[in-house]
Amino acid sequence: MDDVPMGSVIVLLGPPGSGKGTQAERLGGEAFSSGALLREAIADGTELGRRASEYMQRGELVPDEVVVGLIRDALGKMGDRGVVLDGFPRNVAQAEALEDVLAEQGRGLGAAVLIDIPDDEVVDRISRRGRDDDDPSTVRNRLRVYHRETEPLIDFYEDRGALRRVDGTGTPDDVAERVRASVA
Ligand code: AMP
């Protein structure tokens, strides 16, 4: 059963390796991962993919207009099912753009769930994952970018009364249970 109400959107926040992708799948609804869409564009050899790849290799954020365009299109095609966003928004400008897109499409933000894990566990988990942008220097940069660009979203969503904090340590099942309880 889906834990995401119809028409509503849940944002998953958390550092790289915190398990956002896994938890997005577990929640049900339509999971949308900006990173996965960008990796698809790279694999397809599209112009957008070529543009995104240099940023991703460095662990930097891809320019806002590229990802905001992707999410607007993806949400536009998604019908009434609840949506879980994994990896978007990544900074305040994207979060503001998301509010506009949701208003345009008549959707509401259900909650922003922060999956909290310590930095040393991030490095540990990612070193076992083996993706292209998972080498140690890129991971360190992605963590820096997370703290600088993405962490301000914690206050952003707290101010809107939408933030739910969840302990991201333990097994995927443990975390799924906490995430589910936080949005119920
Ligand atoms: P992820 O799969 O979410 O870990 O994302 C992998 C990489 O894709 C990130 O390090 C960024 O380079 C890029 N990326 C994914 N989502 C976004 C986003 N919302 N804004 C900018 N860049 C993104």
Side-chain angles (χ1 to χ4, degrees):
M1 211 198 71
D2 291 352
D3 293 298
V4 191
M6 303 276 284
S8 115
V9 172
I10 289 181
V11 166
L12 295 184
L13 295 174
S18 56
K20 298 186 295 296
T22 305
Q23 298 304 329
E25 300 294 333
R26 297 280 185 106
L27 266 175
E30 302 271 5
F32 167 82
S33 155
S34 48
L37 281 182
L38 291 167
R39 283 187 288 280
E40 259 169 49
I42 293 175
D44 293 343
T46 66
E47 177 54 35
L48 189 152
R50 269 192 294 279
R51 215 176 139 205
S53 124
E54 50 176 310
Y55 294 94
M56 292 170 77
Q57 290 301 336
R58 292 199 306 264
E60 296 292 333
L61 294 186
V62 173
D64 292 341
E65 75 269 14
V66 173
V67 260
V68 170
L70 275 178
I71 181 139
R72 179 178 275 112
D73 291 351
L75 282 174
K77 287 185 207 135
M78 272 182 187
D80 277 346
R81 268 184 99 195
V83 173
V84 184
L85 295 180
D86 150 25
F88 181 94
R90 278 286 225 282
N91 60 25
V92 171
Q94 292 182 12
E96 287 169 347
L98 176 61
E99 291 191 325
D100 293 343
V101 171
L102 294 182
E104 278 162 26
Q105 299 185 356
R107 295 176 191 270
L109 180 74
V113 181
L114 170 66
I115 304 179
D116 218 358
I117 65 168
D119 282 7
D120 48 1
E121 189 155 337
V122 167
V123 176
D124 214 52
R125 286 191 192 183
I126 290 194
S127 61
R128 284 182 260 127
R129 192 166 71 173
R131 223 167 61 188
D132 260 10
D133 56 349
D134 282 347
D135 73 83
S137 72
T138 309
V139 171
R140 274 195 298 277
N141 197 37
R142 282 164 59 203
L143 256 177
R144 270 197 298 273
V145 169
Y146 173 75
H147 290 305
R148 190 180 65 222
E149 304 277 338
T150 311
E151 245 171 16
L153 293 181
I154 296 173
D155 283 347
F156 181 94
Y157 286 117
E158 200 146 50
D159 287 347
R160 284 157 177 74
L163 189 75
R164 313 279 183 272
R165 282 177 199 266
V166 161
D167 174 4
T169 61
T171 67
D173 283 346
D174 294 338
V175 181
E177 206 35 67
R178 294 178 202 134
V179 171
R180 190 170 297 122
S182 82
V183 299

